[in-house]
């Protein structure tokens, strides 16, 4: 009998993908929206049939606990996130949650009772779309972002994360509260690779060695609104023109012959957004990634220098949103993933994660590992994200092995 039920795992992805379905094969289930709440409610319905005990911490991270033979020992955690990009796929994050659930269900079916409890964690707002920063729930859990700061984040309509979370907690009803920062014995997260490497190398399992560093910034340029027909260029303080200069200089700054630096302006807004008013304000985001901390620091300085040098006659404000340093996972944990994969007949590939994950904050708190499976064409953050059903099952089986081992320690 296989370690997991591949059909059930596939069907649960399909069921979750109906919540927030875009109609083009993708999913829009932004953090702390009604769709996110409905996704969590569906998960809770599956979890309650298994007798898992649900709790939420003050930033909304959801924990589903399966008790062990020694219920007071530190639990082993597994999980990921259920929120998606606005034009997201069915697997980014969802896989880590459903693979964890599948492992717990298959343990229940086989009568496996581990020494330590195992907790399935659903992190809040991993994607950082509606509320910034990205990986908000795990950042707050790890103390990298203050709770008050995260709860004070506002969406485009001015709604705070605090109010959105209160609405979710009320809608979910009955879920017990737990304090922030509870401890885990170890953390293992399964995820699709979101890149092309495993597929190109024809491997089913990636043993993730670490996660590259990520810094996110909000840039705000303040100029002056003016009439588009009457105001000569010499009298304008056009925030778009300043942004255009800054963005061109930033692209020169991040040029990298090796192609390692990742630089994205994913959101750009000019206000007031009227065709015949000179924009008085521009806001945009920067997402900057590199495996080397020194390079990230130099680029951070470069961003600040360019913004102050190129903004005039406007003014620029650079607000750091997130700083997650490059992370190397515990070598013994990576080895556990490799060994479990080999036992199950998959030759693993060591891989550094280009995408970020909640595991990066867990790595500072307890031994942490990630298991990658391929996604078709390496495509992710895209509605056409796709995987092979047998890869979902293979990754879950590796996860089952590793969790069982850790939970017996
Ligand atoms: C996660 O979604 C990331 O931005 O890498
Ligand atoms: Mn993800
Ligand atoms: Mn993502």
């Amino acid at each position: 009998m296989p370690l997991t039920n591949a059909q059930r795992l596939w069907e649960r992805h399909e069921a979750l993908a109906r919540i927030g379905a875009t109609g083009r094969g993708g999913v829009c289930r932004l953090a702390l929206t009604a769709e996110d709440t409905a996704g969590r409610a569906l998960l809770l319905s599956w979890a309650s049939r298994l007798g898992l005990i649900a709790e939420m911490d003050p930033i909304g991270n959801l924990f589903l606990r399966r008790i062990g033979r020694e219920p007071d020992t530190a639990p082993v955690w597994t999980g990921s996130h259920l929120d998606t990009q606005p034009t997201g796929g069915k697997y980014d994050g969802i896989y880590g949650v459903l693979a964890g659930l599948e492992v717990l269900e298959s343990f229940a079916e086989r009568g496996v009772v581990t020494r330590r409890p195992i907790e399935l964690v659903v992190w809040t707002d991993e994607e950082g779309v509606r509320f910034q920063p990205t990986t908000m729930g795990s950042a707050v859990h790890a103390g990298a972002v203050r709770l008050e700061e995260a709860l004070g984040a506002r969406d485009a309509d001015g709604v705070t994360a605090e109010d959105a979370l209160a609405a979710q907690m009320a809608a979910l009803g009955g879920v017990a509260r737990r304090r922030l920062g509870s401890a885990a014995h170890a953390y293992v997260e399964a995820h699709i690779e979101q890149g092309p490497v495993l597929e190109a190398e024809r491997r089913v399992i990636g043993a993730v060695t670490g996660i590259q560093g990520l810094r996110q910034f909000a840039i705000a340029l303040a100029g002056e609104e003016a009439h588009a027909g009457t105001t000569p260029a010499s009298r304008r303080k056009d925030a778009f023109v300043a942004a255009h200069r800054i963005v061109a200089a930033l692209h020169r700054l991040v040029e990298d012959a090796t192609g390692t630096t990742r630089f994205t302006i994913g959101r750009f807004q000019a206000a007031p957004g009227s065709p015949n008013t000179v924009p008085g304000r521009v806001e945009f985001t920067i997402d900057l990634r590199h495996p080397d901390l020194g390079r990230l620091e130099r680029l951070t300085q470069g961003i600040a220098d360019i913004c102050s040098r190129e903004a005039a006659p406007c003014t620029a404000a650079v607000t750091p949103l997130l700083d997650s340093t490059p992370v190397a996972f515990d070598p013994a944990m990576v080895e556990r993933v490799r060994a479990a994969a080999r036992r199950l007949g998959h030759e693993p590939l060591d891989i550094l994660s280009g995408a970020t994950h909640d595991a990066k904050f867990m790595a500072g708190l307890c031994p942490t590992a990630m298991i990658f499976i391929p996604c078709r064409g390496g495509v992710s953050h895209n509605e056409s994200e796709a995987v092979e059903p047998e890869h979902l099952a293979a990754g879950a089986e590796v996860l089952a092995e590793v969790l069982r081992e850790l939970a017996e320690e």
Side-chain angles (χ1 to χ4, degrees):
M1 179 167 146
L3 291 173
T4 60
N5 181 331
Q7 184 67 21
R8 179 170 61 200
L9 185 54
W10 177 260
E11 282 167 8
R12 283 186 173 158
H13 282 87
E14 292 297 306
L16 264 171
R18 286 192 279 277
I19 301 173
T22 60
R24 292 174 302 273
V27 182
C28 177
R29 200 168 50 236
L30 305 189
L32 304 179
T33 57
E35 290 77 21
D36 185 40
T37 302
R40 286 178 166 211
L42 179 58
L43 178 74
L44 283 165
S45 73
W46 291 327
S48 78
R49 291 210 287 272
L50 276 178
L52 304 182
I53 302 154
E55 289 176 345
M56 274 167 104
D57 74 7
I59 192 63
N61 296 318
L62 170 65
F63 298 85
L64 299 165
R65 182 181 182 91
R66 180 172 198 258
I67 56 165
R69 297 194 302 280
E70 295 178 29
D72 296 331
T73 53
V76 176
W77 286 9
T78 187
S80 194
H81 59 99
L82 290 181
D83 65 317
T84 73
Q85 290 285 311
T87 50
K90 301 175 180 175
Y91 306 100
D92 171 5
I94 293 91
Y95 175 54
V97 173
L98 293 183
L101 183 70
E102 183 53 43
V103 170
L104 297 186
E105 186 143 10
S106 64
F107 282 179
E109 286 167 349
R110 294 155 165 269
V112 174
V113 181
T114 51
R115 172 173 172 255
R116 294 175 183 277
I118 300 180
E119 291 187 346
L120 176 59
V121 51
V122 183
W123 299 106
T124 298
D125 190 24
E126 193 273 354
E127 297 288 5
V129 178
R130 181 178 176 199
F131 299 107
Q132 285 84 55
T134 297
T135 54
M136 180 187 274
S138 54
V140 171
H141 169 78
V145 169
R146 285 185 311 110
L147 175 64
E148 302 71 40
E149 202 180 309
L151 291 176
R154 287 180 189 274
D155 71 6
D157 298 322
V159 177
T160 62
E162 183 168 22
D163 286 345
L165 177 58
Q168 176 167 101
M169 285 182 163
L172 292 178
V175 177
R177 306 285 185 261
R178 79 157 58 173
R179 67 180 173 80
L180 196 60
S182 55
H185 173 68
Y187 177 70
V188 189
E189 179 168 350
H191 208 283
I192 60 167
E193 181 204 330
Q194 305 185 271
V197 178
L198 289 174
E199 188 180 70
E201 299 291 326
R202 298 181 182 284
R203 306 291 180 94
V204 173
I205 300 295
V208 185
T209 55
I211 301 181
Q212 70 172 338
L214 161 63
R215 291 188 178 182
Q216 290 183 326
F217 307 90
I219 313 292
L221 299 172
E224 196 171 85
E225 291 173 17
H227 195 289
T230 61
T231 319
S234 60
R235 296 181 72 132
R236 291 185 183 207
K237 292 183 181 175
D238 185 328
F240 177 81
V241 173
H244 182 264
R245 250 189 335 266
I246 288 172
V247 169
L250 290 174
H251 277 117
R252 287 193 296 276
L253 172 76
V254 300
E255 266 168 27
D256 171 354
T258 66
T260 315
T261 307
R262 303 285 150 81
F263 173 84
T264 306
I265 294 173
R267 177 175 289 168
F268 187 101
Q269 279 165 330
S274 158
N276 47 2
T277 296
V278 173
R281 192 168 175 84
V282 161
E283 294 181 353
F284 64 94
T285 56
I286 294 177
D287 179 299
L288 173 71
R289 309 192 192 203
H290 199 280
D292 178 65
L293 183 57
R295 168 97 173 137
L296 274 178
E297 274 168 358
R298 287 190 295 281
L299 290 173
T300 301
Q301 188 57 49
I303 290 170
D305 292 347
I306 286 170
C307 288
S308 69
R309 196 175 66 227
E310 303 288 345
C314 302
T315 56
V318 180
T319 308
L321 295 175
L322 184 70
D323 176 0
S324 58
T325 50
V327 162
F329 290 141
D330 179 338
M333 290 288 285
V334 181
E335 185 49 33
R336 280 181 197 274
V337 173
R338 289 190 202 106
R342 288 196 183 107
R343 284 199 298 279
L344 291 163
H346 307 291
E347 186 50 34
L349 185 73
D350 280 8
I351 185 167
L352 178 75
S353 179
T356 203
H357 302 285
D358 299 299
K360 75 187 169 210
F361 287 121
M362 289 306 292
L365 302 177
C366 66
T368 292
M370 288 192 76
I371 300 164
F372 275 179
I373 60 161
C375 57
R376 207 173 296 159
V379 173
S380 186
H381 283 195
N382 187 306
E383 292 176 276
S384 62
E385 187 179 83
V387 301
E388 304 309 324
E390 61 272 24
H391 294 168
L392 293 180
E397 291 181 3
V398 174
L399 180 66
E401 288 269 310
V402 176
L403 288 179
R404 189 168 178 173
E405 223 175 82
L406 290 166
E408 280 307 324
E409 285 182 338

